[in-house]
Amino acid sequence: MAARVTASRGRLGWPGRWRAGAVRVILLAVALFAVGACGPGGIEVASFPVGTLGPAGTVGPAVGQTRIELVRVLGERNLVVRDTLTPFRPPEDALFTTVPRQVLQVLLPDAPTEGYIVVYEFSSPTVAAEAATDQATYLASGPARVQSAFGARHVMRLVGSTVVLYSWVPEGIEDERQRDIGPALETLGIGVPIPA
C-alpha cells in the first residue's frame, strides 16, 4: 500500500501538484484564522492609540494655561521650557494613557535627553484630582517601579483640570539644573503626594 501512495505521488503532473499546494495553503490559512479567533475574548488588552508616544495634538486651553504657569515658575529659576516632538511616556496608569497630553522639556544642555514634563488634561478639576490620586497609587506600585529607572522620583501637581507629572533620577545627574526643576514645580498648583 505504501508503495502505491509513493507511486501515485510521483505521477502527479504540474496541475496535480499545483492543486495539492493550493489545498495546503488554504488549510494553513484556515488554521491561522482559527488560532486568531481563539484570542483573549472579553479580556481588555491595553494598547496605545496611534500618536500617543509623542505630544497630543488635541489638548485644550487648560493645557495652554498650565504651560504659561510652567514657563513662569521654571523661569524664576532661570530654566527654559519648550514644546518637544520627542516621543516620551512616563509610567502611567490606564486612565492617563487615554487623555489628551502635551510633552514639554526643560532645556538642559548637559542632559539633552532629560527634563521631560507631561501635562495631562481632564474634563474637570474633580476628575483631574481623582485621576491624580490613582496615578500616585500606580507610581508607588510594582509595575510602575519596573517601568521607572532605579531611584526615580516623581513630582505630580494639580493645576485646575490638568495634572503635571515630572520624573527624574537624582543619582548620577548629568546637568545640575535638573535639581532645580522639582523645587520649581513645588510652587505650582496643588501637590499630589505619592505613597512610599
Side-chain angles (χ1 to χ4, degrees):
M1 186 93 142
R4 239 188 233 159
V5 171
T6 305
S8 66
R9 281 190 184 165
R11 283 185 282 199
L12 283 177
W14 179 83
R17 280 190 221 125
W18 183 85
R19 278 191 289 265
V23 168
R24 285 188 197 115
V25 169
I26 291 170
L27 289 174
L28 179 62
V30 168
L32 289 174
F33 177 77
V35 168
C38 296
I43 299 173
E44 194 172 313
V45 179
S47 64
F48 298 113
V50 175
T52 58
L53 289 179
T58 58
V59 295
V63 170
Q65 282 300 118
T66 299
R67 187 187 186 287
I68 290 169
E69 287 300 305
L70 280 166
V71 168
R72 181 185 62 77
V73 299
L74 292 165
E76 290 172 357
R77 294 185 180 253
N78 295 320
L79 296 168
V80 177
V81 67
R82 66 173 180 169
D83 297 334
T84 181
L85 296 177
T86 303
F88 176 77
R89 187 170 285 282
E92 300 167 322
D93 86 335
L95 181 58
F96 270 58
T97 64
T98 62
V99 297
R101 60 197 284 274
Q102 182 174 23
V103 179
L104 305 169
Q105 185 179 21
V106 176
L107 293 178
L108 301 166
D110 296 331
T113 60
E114 301 292 331
Y116 293 105
I117 298 171
V118 186
V119 181
Y120 302 87
E121 184 174 27
F122 294 90
S123 59
S124 72
T126 304
V127 173
E130 291 170 1
T133 301
D134 291 345
Q135 173 69 4
T137 302
Y138 179 74
L139 288 173
S141 73
R145 288 186 177 156
V146 169
Q147 294 173 352
S148 301
F150 182 74
R153 294 188 188 161
H154 309 282
V155 177
M156 192 164 30
R157 308 295 292 181
L158 279 168
V159 183
S161 61
T162 65
V163 176
V164 175
L165 180 60
Y166 170 65
S167 301
W168 70 300
V169 180
E171 290 76 30
I173 62 170
E174 298 171 7
D175 193 315
E176 285 299 317
R177 285 167 266 210
Q178 282 180 268
R179 296 190 190 282
D180 293 333
I181 298 172
L185 294 178
E186 295 292 336
T187 66
L188 180 73
I190 302 166
V192 180
I194 297 168

